[in-house]
């Protein structure tokens, strides 16, 4: 006997059995209590807004604003079209008034160079008006203005080249001077770096026409130091002369025949004392100016 295959009956849920409810899809909370999909929905634009964005490349916040943007764009286009018509009409009149110029423009449009087009269409000698021609004065004035512009351009180019060469030369000399100055004063690398930075800042300020109190103070000290050194030289020379006179006077006293010297009664100076101008060259001048 053939065994009958038992068909498995799929298990069904017992209607009497309690089932847990299926949770609803979660929605992201927002200020309006709407779902994220509803919030991300694109905002509908009106037809004026779409046209404004196409014509101007900018978005309008409302239909009224879009209409005003389109109106301004149309006004600009209308004005541009009016100016273009005026320019075209002026060019047509100019070309019709000068047939040679019309042919010259045609040659250039066909690929000829300006010189080739001039050679084909215009007699160079005929361009110079003769004496008495109505445009002779204007021609001479225009020619002189062109030559003057050319001279100015050539002079500016020459000065620019000279200025560039001078700056390069000065830069090389300045670098050599800084190196020799640093070596002479036995400056440390940090000091050399600071010196270069201060020089660079000072140069930038001068080029920008900027002067601060530190710059003025530095110039003032330099001016006063020059005066102090000059006075010190004068005082030192005077002290040296006084010392020589005193030595000569004492020598005369030693070699005299016992008669009183002509400058007897004058204050004497101990010859063993070193003269002030020799032992302390800058001392008197510094004390005079209150410098210790």
């Amino acid at each position: 006997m053939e065994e009958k295959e038992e068909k498995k009956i799929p298990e069904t849920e017992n209607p009497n059995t309690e089932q847990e409810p299926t949770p609803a899809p979660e929605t992201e909370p927002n200020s309006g209590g709407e779902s994220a999909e509803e919030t991300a929905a694109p905002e509908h634009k009106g037809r004026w807004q779409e046209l404004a964005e196409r014509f101007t490349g900018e978005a309008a916040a409302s239909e009224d604003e879009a209409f005003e943007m389109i109106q301004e764009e149309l006004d600009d286009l209308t004005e541009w079209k009016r100016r273009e018509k005026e320019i075209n009409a002026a060019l047509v009149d100019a070309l019709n008034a000068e047939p040679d110029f019309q042919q010259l423009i045609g040659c250039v449009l066909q690929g000829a160079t300006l010189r080739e087009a001039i050679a084909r269409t215009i007699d160079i000698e005929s361009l110079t008006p003769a004496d008495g021609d109505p445009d002779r004065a204007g021609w001479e004035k225009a020619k002189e203005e062109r030559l003057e512009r050319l001279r100015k351009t050539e002079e500016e180019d020459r000065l620019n080249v000279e200025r560039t060469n001078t700056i390069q030369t000065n830069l090389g000399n300045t670098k050599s001077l800084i190196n020799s100055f640093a070596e002479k004063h036995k400056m440390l690398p940090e000091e050399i770096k600071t010196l270069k930075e201060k020089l660079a800042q000072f140069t930038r300020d001068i080029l920008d026409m900027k002067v601060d109190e530190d710059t003025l103070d530095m110039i003032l000290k330099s001016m006063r130091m020059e005066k102090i050194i000059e006075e010190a030289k004068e005082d030192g020379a005077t002290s040296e002369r006084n010392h020589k006179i005193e030595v000569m006077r004492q020598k005369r006293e030693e070699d005299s025949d016992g008669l009183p010297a002509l400058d007897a009664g004058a204050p004497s100076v101990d010859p063993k004392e070193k003269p002030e101008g020799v032992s302390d060259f800058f001392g008197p001048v510094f004390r005079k100016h209150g410098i210790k």
Side-chain angles (χ1 to χ4, degrees), residues 43-70:
E43 186 176 323
H44 177 71
K45 294 182 180 180
R47 182 160 182 78
W48 287 116
Q49 288 174 293
E50 294 178 356
L51 290 174
E53 189 169 354
R54 286 176 56 188
F55 276 105
T56 66
E58 299 178 0
S62 64
E63 286 284 270
D64 292 339
E65 182 181 353
F67 182 82
E68 293 179 0
M69 292 170 61
I70 294 174

Side-chain angles (χ1 to χ4, degrees), residues 9 23 60 64 78 90 107 113 137 142 144 191 218 224 229 233 259:
I9 301 174
D64 292 339
T78 302
C107 290
T113 65
E144 184 59 32
E191 294 175 327
M218 178 182 65
R224 288 180 174 175
I229 292 175
K233 290 180 180 179
L259 296 174

Side-chain angles (χ1 to χ4, degrees), residues 17 20 26 50-51 77 111 147 163 168 171 184 189 212:
T17 306
E20 295 182 359
E26 296 182 358
E50 294 178 356
L51 290 174
L77 291 174
L147 294 176
R163 182 61 178 165
Q168 295 299 325
L171 284 174
K184 175 182 177 182
D212 54 18

